[in-house]
């Protein structure tokens, strides 16, 4: 079955005023881009999708993930990964520790060894071979972004949200990191929604673009 993320009949309100209406379906490997000025509801949309809508906002509508209604599930049971502007790595853990934190655990013998091998393979795939024992604070911005991506992917999400994750990177690093993230989304066949202010992000995503107004 092909994975999909569906927003059904969303009506999102801020203090009783309609902020946005949306009805979309994103299939695995597709990236829906949402653009708009600050205050137009981009981040609130992502909050609604993850079940973390703040006070002052209300919504009607449903979130469907792989033909399952997850609208009333708590955040940790929705299996929706998020990449933010900041990598948000744990400073008390190594690079490998940050990634291991997100990997679903089981009780099989050898699980720790298997996880270590999986992490090292993943680091090598994104050009970070041998950096598992490094401290996150000693990484460049681009390296931190790649670790954050691996942490999200290895948590085995069923969909992924991109909250302007490239906005703090310089131009060339932005291009390279964006390409890596989009490649991984397509390889893993994850439905994705990206919010951004940057038109080059939307062009690189090669998907539908929705413009929100104030």
């Amino acid at each position: 079955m092909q994975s999909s993320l569906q927003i059904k009949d969303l009506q999102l309100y801020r203090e009783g005023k309609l902020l946005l209406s949306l009805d979309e379906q994103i299939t695995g490997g597709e990236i829906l881009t949402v653009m708009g000025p600050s205050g137009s509801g981009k981040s609130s949309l992502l909050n609604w999708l993850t079940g973390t809508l703040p006070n002052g906002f209300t919504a009607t509508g449903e979130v469907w993930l792989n033909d399952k209604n997850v609208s009333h599930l708590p955040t940790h049971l929705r299996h929706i990964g998020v990449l933010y502007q900041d990598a948000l790595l744990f400073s008390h853990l190594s690079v490998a520790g940050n990634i291991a934190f997100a990997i679903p655990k089981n009780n099989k013998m050898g699980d720790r060894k298997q996880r270590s091998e999986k992490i090292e393979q993943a680091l090598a795939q994104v050009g970070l071979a041998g950096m598992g024992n490094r401290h996150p604070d000693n990484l460049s911005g681009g390296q931190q972004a790649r670790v954050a991506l691996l942490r999200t992917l290895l948590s085995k999400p069923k969909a992924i949200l991109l909250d302007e994750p490239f906005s703090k990177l310089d131009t060339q690093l932005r291009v390279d990191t964006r390409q890596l993230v989009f490649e991984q989304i397509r390889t893993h066949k994850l439905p994705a929604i990206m919010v951004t202010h940057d038109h080059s992000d939307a062009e690189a995503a090669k998907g539908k673009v929705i413009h929100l107004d104030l």
Side-chain angles (χ1 to χ4, degrees):
M1 180 183 70
Q2 187 173 22
S3 59
S4 68
L5 173 63
Q6 187 172 7
I7 298 170
K8 284 188 176 182
D9 303 320
L10 169 62
Q11 302 277 308
L12 180 60
Y13 299 87
R14 179 174 55 204
E15 297 177 347
K17 180 182 177 182
L18 182 63
L19 191 60
L20 63 89
S21 299
L22 214 56
D23 197 284
E24 294 289 336
Q25 181 162 353
I26 307 101
T27 57
E30 289 184 344
I31 303 167
L32 171 68
T33 300
V34 180
M35 303 188 71
S38 297
S40 60
K42 300 188 305 298
S43 294
S44 301
L45 168 63
L46 301 190
N47 290 335
W48 175 74
L49 286 164
T50 56
T52 57
L53 201 60
N55 291 334
F57 292 84
T58 56
T60 59
E62 296 174 341
V63 187
W64 286 73
L65 195 51
N66 298 345
D67 296 325
K68 179 181 179 182
N69 186 349
V70 300
S71 307
H72 303 293
L73 292 180
T75 301
H76 68 284
L77 293 180
R78 295 193 182 197
H79 300 293
I80 298 176
V82 188
L83 280 180
Y84 296 97
Q85 286 184 14
D86 297 305
L88 302 177
L89 302 178
F90 301 121
S91 60
H92 66 288
L93 295 176
S94 65
V95 167
N98 267 276
I99 298 171
F101 181 83
I103 297 178
K105 296 175 177 58
N106 57 47
N107 297 318
K108 293 179 181 178
M109 293 295 290
D111 183 42
R112 175 175 288 186
K113 181 180 179 182
Q114 290 174 0
R115 284 208 311 265
S116 296
E117 291 174 351
K118 190 172 187 176
I119 290 168
E120 189 52 48
Q121 289 171 0
L123 287 168
Q125 287 173 358
V126 298
L128 298 177
M131 293 192 180
N133 291 325
R134 292 274 294 273
H135 191 281
D137 292 349
N138 294 330
L139 301 180
S140 68
Q143 290 170 332
Q144 290 182 358
R146 281 179 272 171
V147 174
L149 172 64
L150 291 182
R151 186 174 63 180
T152 299
L153 291 175
L154 291 183
S155 70
K156 296 193 174 176
K158 295 176 181 176
I160 191 165
L161 308 178
L162 309 175
D163 191 0
E164 302 196 51
F166 319 118
S167 62
K168 293 190 175 180
L169 303 175
D170 62 45
T171 304
Q172 188 54 51
L173 195 54
R174 183 186 188 111
V175 171
D176 294 342
T177 305
R178 184 172 60 203
Q179 181 179 349
L180 173 65
V181 170
F182 291 172
E183 283 176 353
Q184 291 297 315
I185 286 171
R186 289 170 183 133
T187 297
H188 291 264
K189 293 182 171 57
L190 292 169
I193 297 177
M194 173 177 63
V195 300
T196 182
H197 287 94
D198 194 304
H199 289 279
S200 66
D201 288 346
E203 292 172 3
K206 298 178 180 177
K208 182 176 180 178
V209 180
I210 292 174
H211 294 273
L212 301 179
D213 300 314
L214 283 173

